[in-house]
Amino acid sequence: MHSGVLGMTYCVGLYLQEGLVFLSDTRTNAGVDNISVFSKMQTEEVPGERVLVMLSAGNLAITQAVWNLLQEGVCLGGEKLTLRTVPSMFRAAQLVGQAVREVYQQDGPTLSQQGIGFDCSLLLGGQIAGEPPRLFLVYAAGNFIEATTDTPFLQIGEHKYGKPILDRVVSFGTPLVDGVKLVLISMDSTLRSNLTVGLPIDLLVCRADTLEVTVRRRITEDDPYFRSIHDGWSNALREAYLELPRPEWGLG
């Protein structure tokens, strides 16, 4: 039984010296015969002043309610704020956390009565004039953690297939263009291993200190660059494993 549309999502955000990279899939479902496409990426942009990006995983009804509440305004510290009016990225993360708590207070008891968990996790990143870019992961309880130079990426949803490549390669100093390649490889690995995560996917890049969206792209099955990533990575893995030394354990 589902209250709202559920999805096995994969979303990832990179926190790099040159800026931020975001990638999310779009598949949601309310059962095997009810598959839909919903964007899990929302943006607030005031060019030259701020750009904020929110990626969502979990129950679609919950995450949409959180976003709608953020549009209307949430009381924080005695003041009603939105993502367009918060003074800092830290306050933005607090605001999202408060919105999650308010939605839980409204819908959590009813969901619990129906045996449905409050399934919601969010990535929030961006930059507000006067401070550097920042990236946060907000949990269902409304608390959050922040990406750092030592841990320069955050993931939500079905992340286990896409995590190994990022663990091995991504660093704070990774150039933006390489960050884009790496999140696409990470998504491709997830798509190959989990059929509940699906195309199209949404890519967004924010170069540091531009205070606007640098690149936003909907990537579909026929996207030539994503196809080249898919084929090139598969071929590179085959060649790499063939070049590894053979085990000398009497296997012939």
Side-chain angles (χ1 to χ4, degrees), residues 91-108:
R91 294 287 277 174
Q94 288 183 315
L95 194 74
V96 172
Q98 182 60 27
V100 170
R101 285 189 285 268
E102 290 188 16
V103 173
Y104 176 76
Q105 290 170 4
Q106 178 178 324
D107 297 339

Side-chain angles (χ1 to χ4, degrees), residues 12-16 19-22 135 152-153 166 170 179-180 182-183:
V12 56
L14 303 187
Y15 168 65
L16 307 176
L20 302 170
V21 180
F22 303 90
L135 175 65
F153 68 90
L166 301 180
V170 173
V180 169
L182 288 166
V183 295

Side-chain angles (χ1 to χ4, degrees), residues 36-50:
S36 302
V37 172
F38 284 91
S39 178
K40 299 165 189 175
M41 178 183 292
Q42 306 289 346
T43 60
E44 282 284 10
E45 185 181 11
V46 182
E49 198 272 321
R50 70 182 58 207

Side-chain angles (χ1 to χ4, degrees), residues 134-152:
R134 300 176 78 173
L135 175 65
F136 301 89
L137 192 167
V138 183
Y139 296 104
N143 58 331
F144 54 86
I145 61 172
E146 183 174 6
T148 68
T149 56
D150 292 324
T151 307

